[in-house]
């Protein structure tokens, strides 16, 4: 087993652990830095419309410039070369044109990189923070809600199956617990313990949910009585929470 393979395995394990504890932002940043252009192409290329007439004009211009460059370079070479020097060849022209194209591409890439760095630094939040909010706050919310479940389960076990009367006060007494979504800005979680005095036996009873606005309206995390914290769509959330209110 090579050293490079071991390094890849170690980085993979470190990434999994980081995402599990809600600290995967550096790996998200690294991924977008290495492969973000692939995601950009996948999103943009299907929407690109190529005007064939413009492509034909561009090809004709390039061919004309290359031919003119070759003729000019060959004339200058024949006028200045020594008697025993080899003649100017097409591959010399091709090499020069390739170098010009590469320099142009590097200049465009440097301009684009400078523009994107400036945009990321002046945006409402650093790029990696925004990506963390979009990709990992769901996992952080689920972790927060599982911590709530374990604390509630422990409280019920210690108090004859009873639930705390005030969840907010209960969380305040347990500073390791969090009732707020880590999204910026994140609204506090909503408790559905009203009317419940005992820890429910039914596994699908929702205990805690979060406002739909926390994740841009794409869905919400709901904590169930069996300890599962699951991200559901708005339609699923309406069905689950509607069933709870009618029980």
């Amino acid at each position: 087993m090579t050293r490079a393979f071991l390094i890849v395995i170690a980085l993979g394990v470190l990434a999994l652990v980081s995402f599990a504890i809600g600290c995967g932002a550096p790996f998200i940043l690294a991924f977008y830095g290495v492969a973000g252009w692939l995601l950009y192409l996948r999103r943009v290329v299907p929407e690109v419309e190529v005007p064939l007439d413009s492509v034909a004009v561009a090809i004709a211009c390039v061919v004309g410039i290359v031919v003119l460059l070759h003729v000019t370079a060959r004339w200058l070479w024949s006028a200045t070369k020594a008697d025993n020097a080899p003649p100017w060849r097409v591959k010399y022209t091709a090499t020069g044109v390739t170098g010009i194209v590469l320099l142009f591409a590097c200049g465009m890439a440097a301009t684009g990189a400078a523009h994107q760095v400036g945009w990321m630094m002046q945006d409402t939040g650093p790029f990696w923070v925004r990506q963390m909010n979009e990709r990992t706050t769901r996992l952080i919310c689920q972790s927060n809600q599982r911590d709530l479940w374990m604390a509630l389960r422990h409280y019920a076990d210690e108090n004859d199956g009873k639930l705390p009367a005030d969840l907010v006060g209960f969380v305040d007494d347990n500073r390791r617990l969090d009732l707020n979504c880590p999204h910026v800005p994140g609204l506090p979680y909503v408790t559905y313990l009203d009317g419940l005095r005992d820890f429910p036996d039914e596994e699908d009873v929702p205990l805690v949910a979060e406002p739909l606005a926390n994740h841009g309206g794409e869905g919400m995390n709901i904590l169930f009585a069996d300890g599962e914290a699951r991200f559901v769509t708005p339609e699923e959330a309406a069905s689950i929470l509607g069933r709870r209110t009618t029980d």
Side-chain angles (χ1 to χ4, degrees), residues 199-245:
F199 201 98
D201 295 327
E202 298 82 0
E203 295 182 350
D204 60 346
V205 174
L207 299 180
V208 175
E210 59 179 334
L212 191 60
N214 276 355
H215 300 285
E218 296 181 1
M220 67 171 67
N221 284 302
I222 298 179
L223 174 67
F224 295 90
D226 62 350
E228 179 187 15
R230 186 170 75 244
F231 189 84
V232 298
T233 64
E235 294 76 14
E236 293 173 328
S239 175
I240 294 169
L241 302 181
R243 183 179 70 244
R244 169 70 183 91
T245 57

Side-chain angles (χ1 to χ4, degrees), residues 74-108:
R74 187 174 181 179
W75 171 71
L76 289 173
W77 180 254
S78 63
T80 58
K81 71 180 181 67
D83 294 337
N84 58 348
W88 185 265
R89 301 181 184 277
V90 175
K91 68 177 182 179
Y92 301 158
T93 302
T95 301
V97 171
T98 302
I100 294 173
V101 172
L102 290 177
L103 288 174
F104 177 78
C106 290
M108 292 292 293

Side-chain angles (χ1 to χ4, degrees), residues 26-97:
F27 293 96
I28 294 176
L29 176 62
F31 171 78
Y32 276 89
V34 174
W37 60 277
L38 292 174
L39 302 178
Y40 173 80
L41 291 178
R42 187 185 67 176
R43 185 176 70 254
V44 172
V45 169
E47 301 179 3
V48 173
E49 296 181 1
V50 180
L52 297 180
D53 53 345
S54 298
V55 173
V57 172
I59 293 175
C61 290
V62 171
V63 171
I65 291 173
V66 171
V67 171
L68 179 62
L69 178 63
H70 178 69
V71 172
T72 303
R74 187 174 181 179
W75 171 71
L76 289 173
W77 180 254
S78 63
T80 58
K81 71 180 181 67
D83 294 337
N84 58 348
W88 185 265
R89 301 181 184 277
V90 175
K91 68 177 182 179
Y92 301 158
T93 302
T95 301
V97 171

Side-chain angles (χ1 to χ4, degrees), residues 1-11 13:
M1 190 175 296
T2 64
R3 178 180 299 179
F5 184 74
L6 291 175
I7 292 174
V8 171
I9 294 296
L11 289 175
V13 173

Side-chain angles (χ1 to χ4, degrees), residues 80-228:
T80 58
K81 71 180 181 67
D83 294 337
N84 58 348
W88 185 265
R89 301 181 184 277
V90 175
K91 68 177 182 179
Y92 301 158
T93 302
T95 301
V97 171
T98 302
I100 294 173
V101 172
L102 290 177
L103 288 174
F104 177 78
C106 290
M108 292 292 293
T111 302
H115 176 272
Q116 291 302 103
V117 169
W119 171 74
M120 288 189 294
M121 297 303 295
Q122 296 177 4
D123 200 9
T124 54
F127 174 77
W128 52 89
V129 173
R130 291 189 296 107
Q131 289 301 324
M132 182 188 70
N133 288 336
E134 296 171 2
R135 303 290 182 179
T136 66
T137 48
R138 298 180 185 180
L139 298 177
I140 299 175
C141 282
Q142 291 173 3
S143 177
N144 289 344
Q145 292 184 1
R146 292 191 188 99
D147 288 342
L148 285 172
W149 182 88
M150 287 189 291
L152 291 171
R153 182 74 267 180
H154 178 73
Y155 180 92
D157 291 341
E158 296 292 326
N159 293 273
D160 298 326
K162 302 296 182 181
L163 287 168
D166 180 14
L167 184 61
V168 176
F170 177 73
V171 171
D172 290 340
D173 293 337
N174 295 267
R175 296 187 177 182
R176 65 182 182 83
L177 302 177
D178 195 350
L179 268 181
N180 292 283
C181 175
H183 206 285
V184 182
L187 300 176
Y189 302 139
V190 178
T191 174
Y192 287 85
L193 299 182
D194 296 340
L196 291 175
R197 295 295 177 262
D198 298 326
F199 201 98
D201 295 327
E202 298 82 0
E203 295 182 350
D204 60 346
V205 174
L207 299 180
V208 175
E210 59 179 334
L212 191 60
N214 276 355
H215 300 285
E218 296 181 1
M220 67 171 67
N221 284 302
I222 298 179
L223 174 67
F224 295 90
D226 62 350
E228 179 187 15

